[in-house]
Amino acid sequence: MQNTIFKNFINNEWVESSSQKTLSSISPMNKHEVVGQVAASDVQDLEKAIQSAHEAKVQWRKLGQHARGQFLFKVADILESRLDEIAETMTKEMGKTLPEAKGETARGVAILRYYAGEGMRKNGDVIPSSDSEALMLTRRVPVGVVGIITPWNFPVAIPIWKLAPALVYGNTVVFKPATEAAVTAAKVMECFSEANLPKGVLNFITGSGSVIGQGIIDHPGIEAITFTGSETIGREVLKAAAAKGIKSQVEMGGKNPVIVTKDADIEKAVEGTISGAFRSTGQKCTATSKVIVEAPIYEAFKEKLLEETKKIKVGNGLQADVWMGPCASESQFNTVKEYINIGQEEGATLLLGGEVLDQQEYKDGFYVSPAIFDNVQPSMRIAQEEIFGPVIALIKVADIQEAIDVANDTKYGLSASIYTQNISSFLKFADEIEAGLVRINAESAGVELQAPFGGMKQSGVGSREQGEAAQEFYTEVKTIFIKE
């Protein structure tokens, strides 16, 4: 059992919560293992964090974009030096395999360096004025104090792709991670702490969502809020932000389809489907969830999919031969089990997997084998609702138009993929699919850090994240008119 306690980071000091109580982070690979403990903060701690951010925001803005970028370069170097340690903590804490955890941490380093480079890029434009003796220009200025709330599934990448642009564009931050991955987040924060940012610029606070998360959402001192997580909480963020008249950016998940046309390369389509659906145990907002296959190749695709899925080794993510780890928590484990039961009750055929693994090395973890359902109707819950687990719903269709119609038949619109060798099919798909991320002959999961990321419909509300698009959320445009 690990007794390490990770404190809050407020005004550049690591401090206990006012209550001095803690929350334990449990390993999903072994429910008897405590990875670490984090502060169980209350509203007094949150007030201190928000006040600290307000006191720091003027000087941080005045420091200048180039100087702020230099801090991010320092953080990137520190994170890179601790990559192996932080990746191992991530695997222990939320179950992701070690290679995936290392890849995510390396991505965090790359994101930091990308936004550090923003310190040398323009932050406005000169605009012609109708007055020939005047100069008119725009300047992008920070929003102020930004509240950041992140989920457990990407405990390094998602916080950093919010923190890095928030900071380089001149905002101060109050950051709350998900408790299930708060130890990993605390170690990321240690990298920022070691870089010696000015006091109060970045404040880290842990605690329950109902107290600290809701407190950030409701607090009048928060001047913008960015959230990734459940649809229920996302709607609370949107309502509160609208009531206060502040910016909000919300990503609430997806039900991501893959279409496989009759002329597709079946091996490539199966490989991409398995990776998109079962990497990270299906716990990605962009994970493949329903696979829509044209009738002429449906049986051949299904046979190959079953064959390759049977090869997946499930287990402890620290082991070199393990391909898929456990569900990240008991709660998520129970959700996946519930949806497997729902699929069977609705009349779908469970072709493979969906079994609770509880023997021998699995007995103390939250393990389930990857599941594949056949005879799925588009209206079934397993074809409509986000499961966030290793479950594929197979749907047979007659042609590309029916495939696109089925793919769009959901309230979500985050990512979508098609496997085809027909240019007409992928052009039609790219034009008609209702998703913010569209991928051709590639899995549904995955986006490059320099590209905008976000969803349509109920997957996301607000401006896009990552790449240059992040500037839209973290800054306001000030128009300046100058005349002698």
Side-chain angles (χ1 to χ4, degrees):
M1 182 176 188
Q2 295 290 327
N3 291 316
T4 304
I5 298 175
F6 295 87
K7 301 176 182 179
N8 292 326
F9 186 68
I10 298 175
N11 204 31
N12 281 34
E13 294 183 0
W14 292 97
V15 294
E16 293 182 342
S17 66
S18 299
S19 67
Q20 297 188 335
K21 294 179 180 179
T22 61
L23 300 169
S24 295
S25 180
I26 306 298
S27 174
M29 299 186 296
N30 181 350
K31 61 187 177 184
H32 303 300
E33 179 185 350
V34 177
V35 180
Q37 297 177 18
V38 297
S41 307
D42 58 27
V43 291
Q44 295 178 52
D45 304 306
L46 180 59
E47 286 292 341
K48 291 175 184 176
I50 295 174
Q51 181 181 353
S52 174
H54 271 280
E55 291 173 353
K57 70 179 184 179
V58 173
Q59 289 305 313
W60 182 241
R61 173 177 59 80
K62 288 183 176 181
L63 186 63
Q65 194 160 301
H66 174 261
R68 295 192 296 264
Q70 297 309 301
F71 279 107
L72 295 189
F73 277 124
K74 291 180 185 177
V75 180
D77 290 344
I78 297 165
L79 179 61
E80 188 171 47
S81 73
R82 297 182 60 182
L83 189 149
D84 289 344
E85 171 210 343
I86 290 175
E88 183 175 335
T89 300
M90 188 193 309
T91 295
K92 290 179 178 178
E93 188 171 36
M94 58 81 58
K96 189 173 295 188
T97 66
L98 190 56
E100 288 182 283
K102 287 183 177 181
E104 180 184 336
T105 308
R107 183 181 179 185
V109 173
I111 293 168
L112 284 162
R113 289 183 176 144
Y114 176 89
Y115 284 109
E118 284 290 291
M120 295 295 288
R121 298 187 184 106
K122 69 173 186 175
N123 68 348
D125 295 290
V126 175
I127 302 172
S129 171
S130 58
D131 187 335
S132 61
E133 296 181 350
L135 172 65
M136 186 163 61
L137 54 90
T138 62
R139 177 183 295 167
R140 287 196 170 270
V141 297
V143 175
V145 177
V146 177
I148 294 178
I149 303 175
T150 60
W152 46 259
N153 61 327
F154 283 90
V156 173
I158 292 180
I160 287 177
W161 84 44
K162 294 177 186 291
L163 290 168
L167 294 171
V168 81
Y169 295 132
N171 303 280
T172 55
V173 168
V174 177
F175 164 42
K176 182 212 174 298
T179 300
E180 296 89 340
V183 171
T184 304
K187 291 194 172 187
V188 171
M189 281 303 304
E190 288 175 349
C191 298
F192 281 89
S193 170
E194 192 176 330
N196 293 316
L197 275 70
K199 282 188 174 183
V201 167
L202 177 54
N203 302 276
F204 170 79
I205 184 167
T206 57
S208 69
S210 60
V211 175
I212 303 304
Q214 193 65 47
I216 289 173
I217 292 168
D218 294 335
H219 200 285
I222 295 294
E223 295 168 301
I225 184 165
T226 176
F227 167 86
T228 299
S230 72
E231 185 179 347
T232 301
I233 303 303
R235 291 184 180 280
E236 290 295 315
V237 171
L238 292 171
K239 287 192 292 185
K244 292 190 290 182
I246 65 171
K247 278 188 168 185
S248 61
Q249 181 185 63
V250 173
E251 196 270 284
M252 299 178 287
K255 189 68 178 176
N256 311 297
V258 168
I259 292 173
V260 184
T261 66
K262 60 188 177 184
D263 54 29
D265 181 325
I266 290 179
E267 288 196 5
K268 183 185 290 185
V270 166
E271 180 183 357
T273 296
I274 288 174
S275 180
F278 300 142
R279 288 282 186 193
S280 295
T281 321
Q283 297 168 144
K284 298 180 180 180
C285 53
T286 54
T288 299
S289 191
K290 56 184 180 182
V291 184
I292 305 160
V293 187
E294 287 195 86
I297 65 160
Y298 185 84
E299 293 301 325
F301 175 86
K302 180 172 70 175
E303 181 180 350
K304 185 66 175 176
L305 180 66
L306 291 171
E307 176 189 334
E308 295 302 317
T309 301
K310 289 175 183 177
K311 298 176 183 177
I312 291 175
K313 167 75 171 172
V314 179
N316 185 320
L318 294 174
Q319 296 175 0
D321 62 339
V322 166
W323 194 92
M324 190 183 95
C327 297
S329 66
E330 185 172 13
S331 173
Q332 195 57 37
F333 175 67
N334 290 334
T335 296
V336 172
K337 290 193 298 180
E338 180 183 359
Y339 272 103
I340 289 168
N341 290 333
I342 288 169
Q344 293 172 298
E345 291 168 359
E346 288 184 313
T349 303
L350 182 59
L351 292 177
L352 182 70
E355 301 167 332
V356 172
L357 304 177
D358 56 7
Q359 302 298 313
Q360 298 175 355
E361 74 267 29
Y362 300 117
K363 65 183 178 66
D364 292 322
F366 305 126
Y367 295 98
V368 62
S369 59
I372 298 174
F373 279 97
D374 193 11
N375 299 317
V376 176
Q377 297 302 312
S379 61
M380 290 180 176
R381 289 181 63 187
I382 60 169
Q384 289 290 330
E385 299 175 11
E386 184 175 46
I387 300 172
F388 227 60
V391 181
I392 285 176
L394 287 174
I395 302 173
K396 185 193 296 186
V397 294
D399 54 31
I400 184 65
Q401 187 59 62
E402 184 182 3
I404 292 172
D405 290 344
V406 170
N408 285 336
D409 181 20
T410 172
K411 64 183 179 180
Y412 297 110
L414 185 55
S415 70
S417 169
I418 188 171
Y419 285 88
T420 183
Q421 298 182 65
N422 185 307
I423 189 170
S424 296
S425 294
F426 79 65
L427 288 174
K428 180 179 178 66
F429 172 80
D431 182 55
E432 296 183 14
I433 197 71
E434 296 166 354
L437 174 63
V438 178
R439 292 166 65 83
I440 315 297
N441 292 322
E443 65 180 82
S444 65
V447 63
E448 297 192 37
L449 63 92
Q450 70 273 26
F453 175 71
M456 297 179 177
K457 298 194 283 190
Q458 293 184 36
S459 282
V461 179
S463 52
R464 295 292 191 252
E465 299 192 84
Q466 302 198 73
E468 293 181 7
Q471 193 178 52
E472 290 297 322
F473 178 73
Y474 293 104
T475 64
E476 302 275 16
V477 176
K478 180 182 290 187
T479 301
I480 301 169
F481 183 87
I482 305 167
K483 189 168 182 179
E484 186 178 2

